[in-house]
Amino acid sequence: MQQAHTVPFSASLDAGLSGATRVYFIVGDPIAQVRSPSGVTAALRAAGRDALVVPAHVAHADLPAFFAGITPMRNVDGVIITVPHKFSAANYCATLSAEAAFLGAANTLRRTADGAWHGGMFDGTGFVAALVEAGCELRGKRVLLVGAGGAGSAIGHALIQSGVGSLDVRDNDAARTDSLTARLNALAQGSLGSQGEARGVDAGVQAHTYDVVVNASPLGMRADDPLPVDVTRLPATTFVGDVVTKPPLTPLIEAARARGCTTVTGTQMFSRVCDRMVEFLLETPAAQRC
C-alpha cells in the first residue's frame, strides 16, 4: 500500500508564527466569503507587527459568548466585524469613534490600554474613496443606495458627507430605513455644507434615473439571488458600486459593465477599507494597501 504524502505541520504554517504572535479575529455569519484574513495579516506584518488574522464563524445568538471568550485573551489585540454583526459589535465597545457612534455600528475593534474595546467604522469612507478613485464626482449627484444595514448605513453617512445632491435608500426593513434617513437628514441640517436630502424609496424605484447606484445589501452573494435593481435601462454614464466581495464580479457588476457603466467592485472597496482598518488597529498609517 502506497504511503500517503503528508506535509510537516511546521511547514504548513508561516515560519514567523510563534507564541508571541498577536491575534486578530474577523467574525461573521457566514464567514467563508471574506477575503481579509490574508490581506490584513500581510498589511500588519508589513507594518512590523508579528500578527495573524483568524476567521471566526459565529452566529448572532453566540456573539455574547464569543466576546466573553476573547476579551480575557491577552494576546488578542483586535476584531474585524462583518455581516451581520456590525450593529451588535458596537455594544461591546467601551468607546467609539465619532462615525461609529453616529451610526451605532462598528466594523473594527482594537484593544485599549485598560483591556476594553474601542470601535471604528470604515465601510463608508472606504467605499467613497473607491468611487472617487474610479473617477466619480459625487457632489450634487443623485444616488440610490440599496441596503440600510451596517455597511449601507456607513456608506450613506459617507455619501451625505461628500455632498451628494440627494440620497434615496431602499431596504426591506422600513423601520431601519426610516431611522437611517432621519439621522442622515439631521446630520445634513446641522452641517455648514450643502448635503442633499435622504429619503426612503420602495422596490419599484427606477434605477436608471440616478447618477450613482450602490448595492450595500447581501444580494449577489448567492447564485440564485435576484439583481438588487433593474439595470436594463441604465445609461452608460451611471456609476454602479457593489459591496459584495464573493464572487469578485457580481451579476450586478457584470450587467452594469455590459451597459457600459463604470463600476466599483466589493474588492476595490475593501482595499480602501482595509487601509483604514489597519491604520486604526495600529494607530499609525498603514504600510501598504491590502
Side-chain angles (χ1 to χ4, degrees):
M1 179 171 152
Q2 185 177 4
Q3 185 175 0
H5 175 70
T6 59
V7 178
F9 180 73
S10 60
S12 67
L13 296 175
D14 187 288
L17 294 178
S18 72
T21 300
R22 311 305 296 177
V23 177
Y24 296 79
F25 283 99
I26 176 166
V27 57
D29 180 22
I31 199 65
Q33 81 284 357
V34 301
R35 298 176 176 272
S36 49
S38 61
V40 179
T41 297
L44 290 169
R45 293 190 173 193
R49 183 68 57 93
D50 177 6
L52 176 69
V53 178
V54 180
H57 188 175
V58 180
H60 175 74
D62 298 322
L63 203 59
F66 171 77
F67 275 100
I70 66 164
T71 298
M73 296 182 184
R74 298 184 181 182
N75 63 335
V76 176
D77 287 348
V79 187
I80 298 168
I81 310 293
T82 188
V83 175
H85 301 316
K86 294 176 184 180
F87 287 111
S88 299
N91 297 324
Y92 297 93
C93 297
T95 54
L96 294 165
S97 69
E99 183 177 22
F102 173 83
L103 296 166
N107 75 341
T108 315
L109 279 57
R110 71 168 180 244
R111 183 84 72 171
T112 60
D114 60 359
W117 299 110
H118 176 61
M121 186 63 171
F122 307 104
D123 287 342
T125 54
F127 192 84
V128 164
L131 277 174
V132 172
E133 192 173 80
C136 182
E137 169 54 59
L138 287 165
R139 185 162 296 277
K141 294 295 192 295
R142 297 189 69 236
V143 183
L144 173 63
L145 173 64
V146 180
S153 295
I155 291 170
H157 178 266
L159 288 167
I160 288 291
Q161 296 280 58
S162 298
V164 298
S166 66
L167 176 66
D168 287 357
V169 182
R170 200 200 84 201
D171 190 280
N172 292 332
D173 188 328
R176 185 162 66 178
T177 302
D178 291 344
S179 173
L180 175 60
T181 54
R183 286 181 290 123
L184 291 178
N185 286 330
L187 173 70
Q189 291 167 7
S191 170
L192 296 178
S194 57
Q195 292 92 336
E197 180 185 3
R199 62 174 187 165
V201 293
D202 60 29
V205 65
Q206 301 296 304
H208 68 275
T209 64
Y210 294 87
D211 303 306
V212 182
V213 176
V214 178
N215 175 45
S217 79
L219 290 175
M221 288 177 61
R222 300 182 304 184
D224 59 348
D225 282 342
L227 290 179
V229 296
D230 178 10
V231 302
T232 57
R233 297 169 63 190
L234 286 183
T237 54
T238 308
F239 278 81
V240 178
D242 200 333
V243 304
V244 174
T245 58
K246 188 176 182 181
L249 295 179
T250 62
L252 173 64
I253 292 295
E254 290 183 331
R257 288 183 177 180
R259 299 286 302 171
C261 301
T262 302
T263 62
V264 169
T265 67
T267 301
Q268 289 172 282
M269 167 199 169
F270 184 74
S271 180
R272 305 290 79 78
V273 173
C274 183
D275 291 342
R276 289 154 177 80
M277 289 194 305
V278 171
E279 287 182 12
F280 179 81
L281 290 171
L282 296 177
E283 298 185 84
T284 57
Q288 65 177 44
R289 289 176 176 169
C290 304

